């Protein structure tokens, strides 16, 4: 995953920082640094999503459910002149806002494929194949339990929620071997890639070829911008909106626009970083010559113009992919995902036959797939790869760690609910069973995995 580091306070600017900014500005920078440290904390963001899901379940079982259900069904309309485009608030969250979440997922995938673990095939092979096992076995368990029935939901238990799973793992702190965190991150990212592929191939509607061709043209335009080495963010976002609209109209799930946009965003810098330091040093005498200590800053046009030139160059050092990630990570983690959880975790159990719900094949298949299939698939493939000599465990990682990580892999909240909504859009009873099992399975996997990893890490410390 991309590492989101907290901002730097004024004291970290180096010698002379006290003279560089005022005391008020220094406090403002320190507050901003603290805020970025909070928004970059995976545990906090996971807790916010949990609170949103719990609030959704509570509201769904009160009279607020009917008011919320009516609100979610209200249209969100965008009009330009005589042209209008409308979709319900629920679709706005699930199709548009979640495309931004998929954009962040795509950025993380591209990061890992460019400079992370996924760029080293030999090191990435073991967690990636373990992810395949963690997808195939849960899907198989679900399909067996639901053979002859609602087999279309086979992909629901295959997804691992990166935010939740890594948030739970981070509760163990430094006791978790660093190599295990890298292994689990790579596995979760590969798992997301497989879930995205499943959504694209099996959970769209019959595509409209005209709109699909328009989406292809938008993708070609995005690739052309990258090929021509254009490093501004705005044109990519504009074409990304066009791509989303075309995919939405085509019948293919529109959230895939986020992944396509991420993979077409430039991951390189517009500036030759090798000569950056020498160039900045060459500009310092010019800035010193043009600065007048006795004049007001508004009147020093030559100085501010020279500073603006340096500022424009420094702004272009950071790749557009990283700039975009920095802009959307906090809104995704603290607005979009909690809102998605609140809208989609509306599990109303009032008047429901609980025994019938518990033994519903969809609920049983999802729950067993998440809680049994995930650890069996992840651990089984890892064991097979290591015992046959095709791979070896990362340094400091033991088999009990792999087992605990397999249990945590059963936390499949976000992606699983999204796939359940796509699979059972027209079948409310099966959707309720799937969502109930997803919530129960994710909570069970989190609690059991946390306890198991606590003892596994203590024994191997």
């Amino acid at each position: 995953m991309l590492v989101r580091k907290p901002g730097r306070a004024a004291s970290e600017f180096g010698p002379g920082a006290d003279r560089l900014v005022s005391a008020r500005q220094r406090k403002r920078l320190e507050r901003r640094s603290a805020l970025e440290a909070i928004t970059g904390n995976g545990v906090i963001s996971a807790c916010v999503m949990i609170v949103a899901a719990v609030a959704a379940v509570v509201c769904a079982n009160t009279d607020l459910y009917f008011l919320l259900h009516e609100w979610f069904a209200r249209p969100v309309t965008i009009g330009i002149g005589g042209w209008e485009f409308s979709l319900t608030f629920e679709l706005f969250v699930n199709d548009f806002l979640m495309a931004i979440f998929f954009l962040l997922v795509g950025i993380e995938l591209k990061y890992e494929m460019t400079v992370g673990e996924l760029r080293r095939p030999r090191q990435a092979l073991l967690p990636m194949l373990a992810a395949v096992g963690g997808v195939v076995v849960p899907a198989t368990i679900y399909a067996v339990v639901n053979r002859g029935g609602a087999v279309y939901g086979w992909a629901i238990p295959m997804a691992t929620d990166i935010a939740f799973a890594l948030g739970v793992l981070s509760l163990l702190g430094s006791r978790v071997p660093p190599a295990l965190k890298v292994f689990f991150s790579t596995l979760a990212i590969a798992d997301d890639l497989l879930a995205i592929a499943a959504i694209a191939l099996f959970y769209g509607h019959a595509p409209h070829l005209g709109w699909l061709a328009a989406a292809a043209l938008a993708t070609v335009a995005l690739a052309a911008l990258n090929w021509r080495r254009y490093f501004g963010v705005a044109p990519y976002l504009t074409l990304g909106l066009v791509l989303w609209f075309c995919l939405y109209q085509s019948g293919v799930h529109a959230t895939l626009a986020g992944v396509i946009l991420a993979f077409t965003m430039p991951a390189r810098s517009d500036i030759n970083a090798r000569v950056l330091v020498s160039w900045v040093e060459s500009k310092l005498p010019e800035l010193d010559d043009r600065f007048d200590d006795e004049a007001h800053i508004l009147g020093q046009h030559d100085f501010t113009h020279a500073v603006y030139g340096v500022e424009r160059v420094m702004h272009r050092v950071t790749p557009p992919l990283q700039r975009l990630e920095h802009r959307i990570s906090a809104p995704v983690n603290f607005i979009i995902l909690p809102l998605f959880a609140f809208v989609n975790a509306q599990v109303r159990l009032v008047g429901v036959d609980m025994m019938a719900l518990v033994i519903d094949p969809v609920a049983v298949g999802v729950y067993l797939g998440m809680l049994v299939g995930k650890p069996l698939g992840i651990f089984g493939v890892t064991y097979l790869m290591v015992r046959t000599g095709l791979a070896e465990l990362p340094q400091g990682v033991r088999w009990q760690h792999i087992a605990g990580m397999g249990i945590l892999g059963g936390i499949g909240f976000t992606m699983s609910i999204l796939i359940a909504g796509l699979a059972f859009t027209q079948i409310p009873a099966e959707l309720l069973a799937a969502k109930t099992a997803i919530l129960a399975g994710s909570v069970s996997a989190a609690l059991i995995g946390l306890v198991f990893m606590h003892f596994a890490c203590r024994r191997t410390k």
Side-chain angles (χ1 to χ4, degrees):
M1 295 180 67
L2 287 177
V3 179
R4 287 176 283 279
K5 296 181 180 179
R8 296 183 179 273
S11 60
E12 296 178 291
F13 284 10
D18 292 339
R19 294 185 300 164
L20 184 64
V21 295
S22 65
R24 177 181 296 179
Q25 181 67 9
R26 186 164 58 252
K27 290 181 180 179
R28 185 178 302 167
L29 290 171
E30 289 172 351
R31 287 195 297 269
R32 182 184 301 175
S33 177
L35 179 62
E36 290 181 352
I38 293 173
T39 56
N41 189 306
V43 176
I44 296 176
S45 60
C47 288
V48 171
M49 191 154 43
I50 291 172
V51 170
V54 171
V57 175
V58 171
C59 292
N61 291 278
T62 65
D63 291 339
L64 283 175
Y65 172 79
F66 303 101
L67 180 63
L68 291 172
H69 191 69
E70 180 185 354
W71 175 264
F72 296 157
R74 288 186 176 183
V76 176
T77 304
I78 301 174
I80 302 176
W83 176 84
E84 286 188 352
F85 172 69
S86 179
L87 68 169
T88 65
F89 180 76
E90 185 174 0
L91 284 177
F92 174 74
V93 172
N94 291 345
D95 283 21
F96 182 75
L97 293 185
M98 286 303 287
I100 303 175
F101 164 71
F102 273 83
L103 172 59
L104 184 61
V105 172
I107 290 174
E108 292 170 345
L109 285 170
K110 187 168 183 177
Y111 177 88
E112 292 295 332
M113 294 173 67
T114 305
V115 296
E117 291 301 314
L118 296 182
R119 72 183 176 92
R120 303 185 182 95
R122 183 173 178 81
Q123 290 187 1
L125 182 64
L126 183 59
M128 291 181 71
L129 290 179
V132 173
V135 164
V136 172
V137 176
T140 303
I141 290 177
Y142 178 92
V144 170
V145 173
N146 287 272
R147 61 188 182 279
V151 72
Y152 194 54
W154 59 269
I156 296 173
M158 65 181 255
T160 296
D161 193 298
I162 292 180
F164 268 147
L166 292 179
V168 172
L169 188 64
S170 63
L171 292 175
L172 298 170
S174 60
R175 289 174 291 175
V176 180
L180 182 64
K181 294 180 181 178
V182 175
F183 187 97
F184 193 33
S185 298
T186 306
L187 183 147
I189 290 170
D191 190 288
D192 264 357
L193 187 59
L194 293 171
I196 291 168
I199 291 173
L201 295 175
F202 303 103
Y203 290 97
H205 302 292
H208 187 288
L209 295 181
W211 283 109
L212 207 57
L217 288 176
T219 303
V220 170
L222 284 167
L225 279 179
N226 194 331
W227 182 70
R228 294 297 299 265
R229 299 181 64 83
Y230 191 86
F231 290 89
V233 173
Y236 289 95
L237 294 181
T238 303
L239 283 173
L241 285 173
V242 174
L243 174 62
W244 178 89
F245 181 77
C246 293
L247 287 177
Y248 181 83
Q249 298 289 357
S250 73
V252 177
H253 203 262
T255 53
L256 299 177
V259 180
I260 297 173
L261 176 59
F263 275 83
T264 54
M265 290 285 293
R268 296 181 177 275
S269 175
D270 194 18
I271 302 298
N272 186 351
R274 296 177 180 176
V275 299
L276 178 65
V277 174
S278 60
W279 180 83
V280 172
E281 290 176 345
S282 70
K283 299 293 291 185
L284 292 179
E286 177 185 355
L287 295 176
D288 188 53
D289 291 340
R290 295 186 178 187
F291 180 70
D292 186 353
D293 192 32
E294 298 180 357
H296 194 282
I297 190 67
L298 290 178
Q300 301 192 53
H301 302 294
D302 291 341
F303 175 73
T304 54
H305 181 74
V307 170
Y308 179 66
V310 175
E311 181 183 317
R312 290 185 62 186
V313 171
M314 298 303 292
H315 174 73
R316 298 167 74 92
V317 172
T318 306
L321 189 77
Q322 199 170 11
R323 296 204 303 268
L324 185 60
E325 186 272 342
H326 182 73
R327 293 178 187 177
I328 69 173
S329 59
V332 165
N333 291 328
F334 289 89
I335 298 176
I336 292 176
L337 287 181
L339 185 59
F340 172 83
F342 185 78
V343 170
N344 290 276
Q346 298 284 328
V347 179
R348 184 170 176 82
L349 301 176
V350 177
V352 175
D353 186 344
M354 293 302 298
M355 182 57 65
L357 183 64
V358 169
I359 64 175
D360 188 296
V362 170
V364 174
V366 171
Y367 189 81
L368 292 180
M370 296 173 69
L371 206 61
V372 178
K374 270 290 182 181
L376 279 180
I378 293 173
F379 186 88
V381 171
T382 305
Y383 185 85
L384 182 64
M385 292 287 293
V386 172
R387 290 307 182 194
T388 55
L390 297 176
E392 58 183 28
L393 289 180
Q395 184 177 6
V397 175
R398 302 291 181 263
W399 286 113
Q400 54 264 39
H401 296 143
I402 300 297
M405 189 182 62
I407 298 172
L408 290 177
I411 304 174
F413 184 77
T414 307
M415 283 286 196
S416 295
I417 286 184
L418 182 62
I419 296 174
L422 296 174
F424 301 124
T425 305
Q426 306 298 328
I427 315 175
E430 304 295 19
L431 182 58
L432 175 63
K435 286 186 175 182
T436 304
I438 290 168
L439 293 175
S442 296
V443 172
S444 300
L447 295 177
I448 296 172
L450 184 60
V451 172
F452 189 96
M453 287 296 293
H454 170 75
F455 288 103
C457 293
R458 188 173 66 176
R459 286 179 58 190
T460 58
K461 186 174 179 180

